[in-house]
């Protein structure tokens, strides 16, 4: 297993923070968090799945660093990311008599990170928190950049706050407990960084993606380390330029306009995981770009083949029910946050590594792309 560790930083002036990527970070968490604390007290929030594998090494490292701590274990799954659970969690934090100096620690995947981050943002008007992401998806995307929030019946992540963590610890070793399907789902977000602005990284993934997914032996661990480091570096660069998504940060939504509508339609559950929806959504975005005459078809084909070889879905086979229509999917896109003055925003591509944001898209082209998928 690789013992390499990499230290990155996200530059946001006084709110800058470190991102550590490496194996064994859980056992070093106490010593890394301790210097950030005004008072050595932390509350760890995790879920029932992550508790089994990761809570005990984290607690030992907090003990070793002399940090007083207690833990709250939530139910696992996307349904935990709602108002009721945010109310429950913030109530439990108040019952535990948190103070402004208490550090929250989000130990888990994107659901835990988003819920804890949001609860940290609103409790006592803002508590510090640390992200310890344990899934590939949260290590390469959601734990970095300060987007926190919960889902509403009207749509995903519609209530939330930008609230940056004080530190991110991405322990590559934690990925070993994930199912292959979860790894592949996170891998879609890794590929996204290549497609946005890094053709060289996409080429590296073409040669090494299978190692990233398998993660076996030292080569696999090294490949995962490189993939997570490159992804976090790319995300940190974009977020430090545009923290609150006034411009460039929207590039990180490549595949998400289409993908979120598929997730909404399939109920945000096991039928289609987030990364799987994003994989299909990214191919749809390339399809739309090809249809609009701005992207070579070979690039779209390379993207589709790459994702398919990674074991990700690239079409709607097995998902479509009779009642699916292009109009309904477009309506679901309109309930997302990617709407400005009533117009949908898309991230399109001039090629691999050359994505851009636009609202200049003819809806007839979007309908045509969706209808091709619904027919197939
Ligand atoms: N997940 C996209 C972003 O953080 O902006």
């Amino acid at each position: 297993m690789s013992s390499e560790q990499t230290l990155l930083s996200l530059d946001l002036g006084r709110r800058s923070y470190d991102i550590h990527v490496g194996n064994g970070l859980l056992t070093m968490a106490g010593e890394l968090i301790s210097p950030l604390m005004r008072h050595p007290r932390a509350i760890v929030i995790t879920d029932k799945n992550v508790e089994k594998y990761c809570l005990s090494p984290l607690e030992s490292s907090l003990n070793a660093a002399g940090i007083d701590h207690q833990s709250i274990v939530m139910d696992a799954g996307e349904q935990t990311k709602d108002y009721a659970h945010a109310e429950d969690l913030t109530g439990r934090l108040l019952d535990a008599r948190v103070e402004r100096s208490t550090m929250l620690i989000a130990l888990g995947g994107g659901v835990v990170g988003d819920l804890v981050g949001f609860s940290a943002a609103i409790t006592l008007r803002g508590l510090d928190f640390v992200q310890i992401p344990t899934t590939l998806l949260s290590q390469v995307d959601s734990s970095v950049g300060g987007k926190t929030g919960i889902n509403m019946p009207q749509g995903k992540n519609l209530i939330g706050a930008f609230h940056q963590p004080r530190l991110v610890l991405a322990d590559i070793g934690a990925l070993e407990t994930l199912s292959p399907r979860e790894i592949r789902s996170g891998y879609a977000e890794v590929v996204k960084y290549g497609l946005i602005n890094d053709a060289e990284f996409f080429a590296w993934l073409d040669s090494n993606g299978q190692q990233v997914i398998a993660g076996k032996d030292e080569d696999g661990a090294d490949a995962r380390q490189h993939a997570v480091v490159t992804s976090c570096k790319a995300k940190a660069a974009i977020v430090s330029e545009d923290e609150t998504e006034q411009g460039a940060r929207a590039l990180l939504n490549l595949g998400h306009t289409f993908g979120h509508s598929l997730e909404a339609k399939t109920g945000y559950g096991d039928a289609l995981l987030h990364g799987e929806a994003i994989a299909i959504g990214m191919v749809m975005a390339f399809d739309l770009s090809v249809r609009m005459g701005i992207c070579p078809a070979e690039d779209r084909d390379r993207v589709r083949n790459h994702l398919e070889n990674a074991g990700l879905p690239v079409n709607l086979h097995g998902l479509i029910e009779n009642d699916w229509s292009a109009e309904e999917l477009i309506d679901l896109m309109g309930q997302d946050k990617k709407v400005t003055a009533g117009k949908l925003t898309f991230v399109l591509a001039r090629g691999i590594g050359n994505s851009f944001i636009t609202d200049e898209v003819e809806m007839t082209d979007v309908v045509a792309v969706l209808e091709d998928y619904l027919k197939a």
Side-chain angles (χ1 to χ4, degrees), residues 228-261:
V228 176
V229 166
T230 307
S231 302
C232 287
K233 223 185 249 177
K235 179 144 189 189
I238 290 178
V239 172
S240 63
E241 189 190 318
D242 176 24
E243 182 182 6
T244 56
E245 201 168 302
Q246 307 302 309
R249 185 165 182 167
L251 286 169
L252 297 168
N253 297 331
L254 175 64
H256 285 60
T257 306
F258 286 109
H260 276 179
S261 73

Side-chain angles (χ1 to χ4, degrees), residues 78 96 125 132 134 177 180 209 237 255 265 278 301 347 370 373:
E78 190 76 27
R125 297 207 177 93
I132 306 188
T134 56
T177 62
K265 183 67 188 153
I278 297 318
D301 296 346
V347 183
L370 288 171
Y373 279 80

